[in-house]
Amino acid sequence: MTSGVTPGEVPASRRLRPVREGDPVPRKGRPVREGDPVPRKGRPVREGDPVPRKGRPLWEGDPVAAPEDAAPEASPKGPPVGKAAAEGLPGRLRELLGRPLFSYHLLLGVSALLMVLGLMMVLSASSVEALQEMGDPFYWFFKQSISAAIGIPIMWACSRLPVRFFRLAGYPLMALSIIGLVMVLFVGTSQLGAQRWIDLGPIYLQPSEPAKLGLLLWGADLLARKARNGMIEWRHLLIPLMPGTALLALLVMLGSDLGTTIVLTMIFLALLWVVGAPLRLFGGILGVAVLATVVMIVTEGYRLDRIEGWLNPWENASDTGLQAVQGQIAMGTGGWFGLGLGYSRAKWNWLPHAESDFIFAILGEELGLMGTLVVITLFGLLGYAGLRVATRVRDPFVRLAAAAATAWIAGQAIVNIGAVIGVLPITGIPLPLVSYGGSALLPTLAALGMLLSFAKQEPGARDALIARGPGPAARALSWLGLGGPGTTRRPGRGRR
């Protein structure tokens, strides 16, 4: 008995039919188009329906799953409970983290919050000493505000620069840093046993701060070039990176700046970690670093006193342990929510360097434990955003530079906070974006601007920026006739 179907012809029961009004939509997340296959039975698609295997079109009569963008049916029993409610928040969090400009906005927001908080705390922590020494309680606040006013345009400019600029800028910045560190040894100004600054009249320049950015850019480009040329053997990667880092560290140590030497070592180790150096190499480098630190402590009497004050602060509360003890007293006085902004007692000549090295103690006294946890959370988010950029881009230089910049800023914050709360020795390095000091603020803002530029290299970020249109700055320039929305070409359009 014949079936009446020509060999090779599709049976009538398996043929496609035109889409009709009310037909369910397959799980592709797009509207139904003319000619799309749909189920033959016409019942609504239910959750859990199987989906045909990929590789063939949907035949008439195949069940399909519910569309992803379909609105869930209202439940007569109220909001979803149990597993559905538990999956709501993680789903929204995954959606937020999946946005292409999430890293960019997170970096920008956290940097702005830390800088505003820093200006506020510098005003509070320095007002008493500025009034006593300069006759103006706003003296150091104004100087820090000027540094921020210079640094914000630098950050904005760096966020708009291409990656190639940063690759080229590392070499002259490294050379200038070495020249500046050599000048410090001959014409530098010494304060509290450390020779770090060059007196330029109204300002003091600390060449060791831009040296961090110079080492970061120079080392990242050096390793990226060697890795691209196939020189992935770690012995080759160390030359000339290790001699260059050792030269910077030696010049900084000759100026008796142990804190900056630690930060330079962090940047160096971060570069080697990203490039994939073996663990035994890290052990050897850390051993050399510990030996050099011991030598620096033994050869300088004030450092040995600092170690003694760190190990036994309360036994030396009026001498070498004064700063550590007063910092801990300030932190404890703040309690849960602090004494209130501006109501610190430690800044009344009790805590030395309250506006710089120990500004975190003043913050804890005035804003309490909650305030310190907010600052720690902000630095944690900053570190997460930097590492997110480093892991989502493909350019080796961007990965290296982003990871090293994150290690620099987050590591310096850890060392500073650790010294204030007494778990690490006092090294004299500032809290990034918060402590007083223009020489430290400007390179940090430049590094954050670089991270913002790298965040635009993430997948989908550039298309998202183009789709968003011109920002306030571009619109302001368009009002002045210097450019604007019309100057931005969309992808795929060339000149006519």
Side-chain angles (χ1 to χ4, degrees):
M1 181 176 178
T2 61
S3 61
V5 179
T6 307
E9 181 182 358
V10 178
S13 62
R14 303 292 283 178
R15 294 177 186 172
L16 301 177
R17 64 172 176 80
V19 177
R20 299 171 185 167
E21 185 177 357
D23 286 340
V25 184
R27 196 181 60 176
K28 293 292 183 181
R30 61 172 177 80
V32 179
R33 299 171 184 166
E34 187 72 23
D36 281 350
V38 294
R40 185 174 57 178
K41 295 181 180 180
R43 66 167 176 82
V45 181
R46 302 188 182 97
E47 184 178 358
D49 285 345
V51 181
R53 292 178 299 176
K54 296 181 179 180
R56 66 169 178 85
L58 289 170
W59 297 106
E60 185 176 350
D62 282 344
V64 294
E68 291 180 352
D69 56 349
E73 296 182 0
S75 173
K77 298 182 180 180
V81 295
K83 183 178 179 181
E87 292 178 354
L89 183 59
R92 296 189 188 96
L93 183 60
R94 283 194 298 269
E95 180 184 357
L96 179 64
L97 295 177
R99 294 180 181 178
L101 290 176
F102 177 77
S103 302
Y104 180 87
H105 291 136
L106 184 60
L107 281 168
L108 187 61
V110 171
S111 302
L113 288 175
L114 284 172
M115 190 159 54
V116 171
L117 179 64
L119 289 174
M120 181 176 64
M121 293 311 304
V122 166
L123 173 60
S124 176
S126 66
S127 57
V128 173
E129 189 174 356
L131 179 62
Q132 293 173 346
E133 296 186 5
M134 303 296 177
D136 182 4
F138 302 98
Y139 180 79
W140 282 314
F141 170 73
F142 283 148
K143 292 190 67 174
Q144 186 73 357
S145 300
I146 292 173
S147 299
I150 298 173
I152 290 174
I154 293 176
M155 179 181 176
W156 177 82
C158 290
S159 70
R160 303 179 67 86
L161 291 172
V163 175
R164 178 174 174 79
F165 173 85
F166 296 106
R167 301 193 70 156
L168 297 177
Y171 296 87
L173 187 57
M174 184 75 169
L176 290 175
S177 299
I178 293 175
I179 294 174
L181 290 172
V182 172
M183 291 179 61
V184 166
L185 300 178
F186 295 97
V187 298
T189 302
S190 179
Q191 296 181 11
L192 299 175
Q195 191 167 346
R196 310 175 184 177
W197 298 271
I198 298 177
D199 189 357
L200 298 179
I203 62 174
Y204 283 89
L205 178 64
Q206 190 175 355
S208 59
E209 292 295 337
K212 302 172 186 176
L213 184 60
L215 174 63
L216 184 156
L217 296 176
W218 174 72
D221 182 68
L222 185 69
L223 293 180
R225 291 178 184 275
K226 287 181 174 291
R228 185 183 60 184
N229 295 332
M231 300 175 63
I232 58 175
E233 178 65 30
W234 64 268
R235 295 180 181 86
H236 298 158
L237 295 175
L238 288 179
I239 300 174
L241 179 60
M242 179 174 282
T245 306
L247 177 60
L248 280 181
L250 177 62
L251 292 174
V252 171
M253 285 191 295
L254 289 176
S256 301
D257 189 354
L258 179 60
T260 302
T261 306
I262 294 175
V263 177
L264 292 174
T265 306
M266 289 181 183
I267 296 173
F268 175 66
L269 294 177
L271 291 172
L272 293 182
W273 179 270
V274 175
V275 85
L279 291 178
R280 63 179 181 274
L281 177 61
F282 286 94
I285 294 174
L286 289 176
V288 173
V290 170
L291 179 61
T293 303
V294 172
V295 171
M296 290 182 66
I297 292 174
V298 173
T299 54
E300 293 287 349
Y302 79 94
R303 289 201 187 97
L304 196 59
D305 293 338
R306 281 187 176 184
I307 296 297
E308 176 65 23
W310 169 58
L311 294 176
N312 302 294
W314 293 95
E315 296 179 4
N316 303 276
S318 60
D319 190 13
T320 57
L322 173 64
Q323 194 174 26
V325 167
Q326 292 299 327
Q328 294 177 24
I329 292 176
M331 293 284 291
T333 304
W336 285 95
F337 300 101
L339 302 177
L341 190 62
Y343 285 90
S344 169
R345 302 165 186 167
K347 66 184 180 183
W348 289 85
N349 298 330
W350 289 101
L351 178 61
H353 305 288
E355 77 285 350
S356 55
D357 303 351
F358 268 67
I359 197 170
F360 189 75
I362 303 298
L363 189 146
E365 185 181 14
E366 295 187 350
L367 301 182
L369 177 63
M370 295 297 104
T372 60
L373 291 179
V374 168
V375 172
I376 293 173
T377 302
L378 289 176
F379 277 110
L381 291 174
L382 187 63
Y384 166 75
L387 293 179
R388 176 184 165 91
V389 172
T391 55
R392 286 171 60 88
V393 294
R394 297 182 178 179
D395 190 332
F397 169 78
V398 174
R399 295 170 67 93
L400 288 162
T406 304
W408 160 21
I409 299 174
Q412 185 168 321
I414 291 173
V415 172
N416 178 274
I417 294 174
V420 172
I421 64 178
V423 298
L424 293 175
I426 299 173
T427 56
I429 61 176
L431 186 62
L433 299 175
V434 180
S435 294
Y436 172 81
S439 295
L441 181 63
L442 296 183
T444 304
L445 289 177
L448 290 171
M450 178 189 69
L451 286 176
L452 290 174
S453 175
F454 292 166
K456 298 177 184 178
Q457 308 297 322
E458 291 188 17
R462 191 171 299 277
D463 293 338
L465 286 172
I466 294 175
R468 189 179 62 179
R475 289 195 296 268
L477 290 175
S478 68
W479 297 337
L480 299 174
L482 301 177
T487 61
T488 303
R489 293 198 303 264
R490 296 191 178 275
R493 292 188 180 181
R495 295 185 178 180
R496 295 183 179 179

